[in-house]
């Protein structure tokens, strides 16, 4: 009965590869997010979708592309991975006015 | 734009000590304020929130009061336990925002 689930939990890959992280929420929320947490625990929003429409697109390299096939899913695809992409990526969801619910994160390591 | 500044860590305490983590914010209008907690290896969980001035949020022995006059939302707990060891994030949501702006996080370690 996990509310926000993301897969995989760990992802180790080499520079230059393309990878995807998937996220699903079963809370009935209409807004979903991707956050990046660096090694110093700093959290930065990357993208947000509301009812499958992109509403927040912070300064993120265009190698990162979110895809929202429906309100319950928001995937993150990353092309040409770089060492600096190593981080923990968190998916979250909310409805307007409600607090964010976070997934448990995907630890991406680029070697 | 909206921003949150919170006390830098790390903070190390003994069990049963008093914990305070300072948080101040900059925002237009009347934002909602939150404290989130991240236990090792996990995602963030909402700890408490306050949506208007003078509101007090409380949960698990933690409290924070929305102070508009000082633009602050300091987190306090009177007697910490080892299980409170975590990273604590202060955050705000603007009136018409779809996103949370987070502080830098404060790592708290409680020793037995």
């Amino acid at each position: 009965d996990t509310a926000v689930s993301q897969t995989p939990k760990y992802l180790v890959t080499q520079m230059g590869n393309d990878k995807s992280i998937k996220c699903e929420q079963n809370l009935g929320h209409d807004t979903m997010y991707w956050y990046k947490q660096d090694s110093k625990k700093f959290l930065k929003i990357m993208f947000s979708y509301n009812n499958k429409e992109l509403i927040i697109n912070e300064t993120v390299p265009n190698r990162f592309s979110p895809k929202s096939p429906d309100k319950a899913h928001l995937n993150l695809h990353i092309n040409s991975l770089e060492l600096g992409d190593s981080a923990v990526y968190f998916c979250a969801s909310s409805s307007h006015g409600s607090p964010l619910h976070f997934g448990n994160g995907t630890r991406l390591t680029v070697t | 734009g909206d921003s949150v500044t919170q006390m830098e860590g790390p903070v190390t305490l003994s069990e049963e000590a008093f914990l305070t983590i300072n948080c101040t914010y900059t925002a237009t209008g009347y934002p909602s304020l939150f404290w989130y907690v991240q236990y090792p290896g996990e995602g963030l969980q909402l700890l408490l929130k306050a949506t208007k001035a003078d509101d007090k949020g409380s949960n698990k022995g933690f409290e924070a009061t929305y102070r508009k006059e000082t633009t602050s939302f300091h987190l306090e707990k009177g007697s910490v336990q080892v299980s409170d060891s975590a990273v604590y994030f202060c955050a705000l949501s603007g009136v018409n925002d779809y996103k949370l702006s987070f502080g830098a996080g404060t790592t708290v370690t409680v020793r037995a």
Side-chain angles (χ1 to χ4, degrees):
Chain A
D1 61 345
T2 305
V4 180
S5 60
Q6 44 181 120
T7 56
K9 187 174 173 68
Y10 300 97
L11 184 54
V12 180
T13 189
Q14 291 184 328
M15 281 195 303
N17 285 348
D18 303 338
K19 291 293 178 185
S20 291
I21 308 172
K22 296 186 176 181
C23 179
E24 175 181 5
Q25 55 95 4
N26 62 5
L27 296 166
H29 288 162
D30 54 11
T31 307
M32 296 185 72
Y33 310 79
W34 279 109
Y35 278 83
K36 179 180 180 180
Q37 186 175 48
D38 64 23
S39 59
K40 295 183 178 179
K41 304 291 188 186
F42 187 73
L43 276 161
K44 182 175 170 57
I45 190 167
M46 301 173 69
F47 302 103
S48 176
Y49 272 75
N50 177 257
N51 285 318
K52 300 197 301 173
E53 179 185 347
L54 182 65
I55 55 170
I56 295 174
N57 185 356
E58 296 291 301
T59 306
V60 174
N62 57 16
R63 298 181 294 103
F64 290 79
S65 53
K67 293 274 192 309
S68 182
D70 55 57
K71 279 194 339 179
H73 295 84
L74 180 61
N75 304 322
L76 182 65
H77 188 75
I78 315 170
N79 289 328
S80 303
L81 278 155
E82 301 177 356
L83 292 176
D85 298 331
S86 295
V88 182
Y89 292 84
F90 286 100
C91 178
S93 72
S94 73
S95 285
H96 192 53
S98 75
L100 268 64
H101 286 74
F102 283 83
N104 283 334
T106 296
R107 182 175 294 275
L108 171 65
T109 303
V110 182
T111 61
Chain B
D2 296 348
S3 66
V4 175
T5 302
Q6 67 180 96
M7 185 174 108
E8 287 189 23
V11 174
T12 302
L13 302 163
S14 298
E15 256 189 328
E16 300 183 4
F18 184 87
L19 170 68
T20 299
I21 304 175
N22 289 341
C23 172
T24 57
Y25 67 90
T26 302
T28 53
Y30 299 89
S32 294
L33 301 173
F34 306 84
W35 277 99
Y36 278 80
V37 58
Q38 184 179 24
Y39 298 105
E42 297 184 12
L44 279 74
Q45 303 172 25
L46 178 67
L47 182 59
L48 52 85
K49 69 174 183 176
T51 57
K52 61 183 188 296
D54 299 326
D55 266 3
K56 177 187 280 188
S58 60
N59 186 24
K60 299 181 181 180
F62 290 89
E63 291 184 341
T65 301
Y66 189 144
R67 302 281 187 205
K68 183 161 173 55
E69 63 277 12
T70 54
T71 61
S72 65
F73 193 55
H74 305 322
L75 181 69
E76 297 182 336
K77 185 172 184 180
S79 177
V80 294
Q81 305 300 314
V82 172
S83 57
D84 293 324
S85 298
V87 183
Y88 293 84
F89 293 90
C90 186
L92 74 80
S93 175
V95 174
N96 295 309
D97 269 358
Y98 284 93
K99 69 177 183 181
L100 281 183
S101 297
F102 284 92
T106 302
T107 299
V108 173
T109 302
V110 180
R111 295 185 173 163

